[in-house]
Amino acid sequence: MNIAEGRRLLLKAFVGIGAGTVTGATAHGFLYERHHLELTRSAFPVPGLPEALRGLRIGVLTDIHHSQTVPREMVAAAVNMLMAETPDLIVLGGDYGSWRDRRYVHSAAEALAPLAAPHGVIAILGNHDDDRDMPAALAARGFTVLKDARTRLTIRDEPIDFAGVRFWTYKVSDLMHVLRGSLPLTILLAHTPKRLLEAQQLAVPAVISGHTHGGQIVLPGLGPIAAREFPVIAGLAQRSGTTIFVSRGVGTIYVPVRINCPPEVAVLTLEPAMRS
C-alpha cells in the first residue's frame, strides 16, 4: 500500500470501529491475527490453458514487508509453509521491505533464499522496493526478476509466458510494449490489482497480484473500507475473460495489526476456463 492508502485505512478503521471496541480489536490484531498465517489453496481457471497444464501449481508469496514489526522468523514461517506444498513454480509479488529501507534488503532476500521449485522462482517489485538493490539481491539468490519484462517457460511441452510489470507501469501503451510478441497464454504479474483493467483491455487471460493486504483491517458489516478503490481486494475473481488472484500477503504496513484479515500463503492450481 502507498502512503495515502495507509492513512485512509487508519482513519476509516478507527472511525468505523466503536471507541469501546478499538482496544480489544487492535490488541487481538496485533498479538494474534497478524501472526496467524493461513494457507490458501485455490483453483485458478485460465482461459486458453492447454489440457497438459491442468494441475500445474503456482505458489504465491507477496507483501512480506520485512521490518522491525515483521521479523525474519515470520518470513521464514511463510517460506516453510510454501515449501511444504511443493509447488511447481513460485511467484513473489513484491514489497519485500517497507519504505525502500535498505537495512532489510539483504535480510529479506536471505529469508526468501530457501524457496525453490522445479520451474523456478519469478519475482516482481512493489511500490516499497527500490529498483536496484532489491532486484539485485533477489537475482543473487537465483530468482528471475521481471522489471517490465517477460520470461517464457516450457512446461510439459507447452510454452507459457510470464510478464512482470513495475508498480508504476500502468498505461495501456506501456503494458503493450511489455506484452509485444507474447504468447496468447500469458500470465501477468502485477503488484497492484488495478492492472486488471489494462489486462482486460489487452485480452490477457490471467493476473496475479497483491498490494492490498486484503484491506488489512476488515470491519464487521463494513468490510475492507480502505481498499474499495481496487477492482478486486482479495481472492479469486473472473472479469470479462480475465482471471485474477489477489493475495492478502504476509506482512503489515503503517500499523502492525490485522483485523478479520489474516496473512496468507497461496497455492494456485491451474485449470482451463472458457473466456466469458
Side-chain angles (χ1 to χ4, degrees):
M1 294 185 183
N2 60 35
I3 294 173
E5 291 164 358
R7 288 174 177 170
R8 286 198 298 273
L9 185 152
L10 287 175
L11 178 60
K12 292 179 180 179
F14 291 122
V15 168
I17 303 175
T21 62
V22 168
T23 301
T26 302
H28 184 268
F30 174 76
L31 294 172
Y32 175 73
E33 192 162 359
R34 73 185 179 104
H35 298 290
H36 186 56
L37 192 63
E38 289 189 350
L39 174 65
T40 297
R41 299 186 184 99
S42 175
F44 193 57
V46 178
L49 186 80
E51 187 63 31
L53 294 181
R54 180 190 292 272
L56 186 76
R57 300 168 73 245
I58 299 178
V60 180
L61 199 60
T62 187
D63 295 276
I64 68 171
H65 286 288
H66 181 32
S67 62
Q68 286 184 325
T69 57
V70 184
R72 184 162 168 170
E73 291 76 16
M74 187 171 179
V75 182
V79 167
N80 291 338
M81 179 178 285
L82 183 54
M83 288 303 296
E85 291 294 299
T86 61
D88 299 300
L89 173 71
I90 294 173
V91 166
L92 301 178
D95 279 4
Y96 306 99
S98 295
W99 315 115
R100 304 187 181 188
D101 189 340
R102 285 184 168 84
R103 291 177 298 172
Y104 295 96
V105 166
H106 291 285
S107 181
E110 190 62 30
L112 294 169
L115 290 172
H119 299 287
V121 179
I122 301 174
I124 60 171
L125 303 177
N127 54 305
H128 283 269
D129 302 316
D130 77 283
D131 203 42
R132 186 177 66 177
D133 292 348
M134 193 70 246
L138 294 170
R141 272 71 183 182
F143 303 156
T144 299
V145 183
L146 299 179
K147 300 188 296 179
D148 293 344
R150 298 194 320 273
T151 187
R152 181 167 296 176
L153 302 178
T154 300
I155 301 174
R156 302 173 187 171
D157 296 323
E158 292 285 353
I160 179 172
D161 278 348
F162 290 85
V165 294
R166 291 176 169 93
F167 180 82
W168 306 110
T169 300
Y170 62 90
K171 294 180 181 178
V172 171
S173 59
D174 293 335
L175 267 73
M176 286 180 64
H177 179 75
V178 176
L179 294 167
R180 186 174 294 123
S182 63
L183 298 168
L185 179 56
T186 296
I187 296 179
L188 178 65
L189 309 179
H191 182 66
T192 172
K194 287 185 177 181
R195 297 291 77 78
L196 171 63
L197 305 179
E198 291 78 19
Q200 290 174 268
Q201 294 180 59
L202 297 171
V204 177
V207 182
I208 298 175
S209 295
H211 184 58
T212 67
H213 300 194
Q216 192 168 312
I217 296 175
V218 179
L219 306 180
L222 296 176
I225 58 176
R228 287 177 178 170
E229 66 189 83
F230 298 100
V232 178
I233 298 171
L236 185 75
Q238 292 178 282
R239 304 284 174 82
S240 302
T242 299
T243 300
I244 186 170
F245 179 82
V246 183
S247 173
R248 298 192 304 268
V250 173
T252 54
I253 191 68
Y254 302 102
V255 288
V257 172
R258 281 181 178 264
I259 296 176
N260 299 318
C261 188
E264 173 183 69
V265 170
V267 178
L268 309 179
T269 301
L270 273 56
E271 62 181 35
M274 296 295 293
R275 286 189 184 272
S276 59

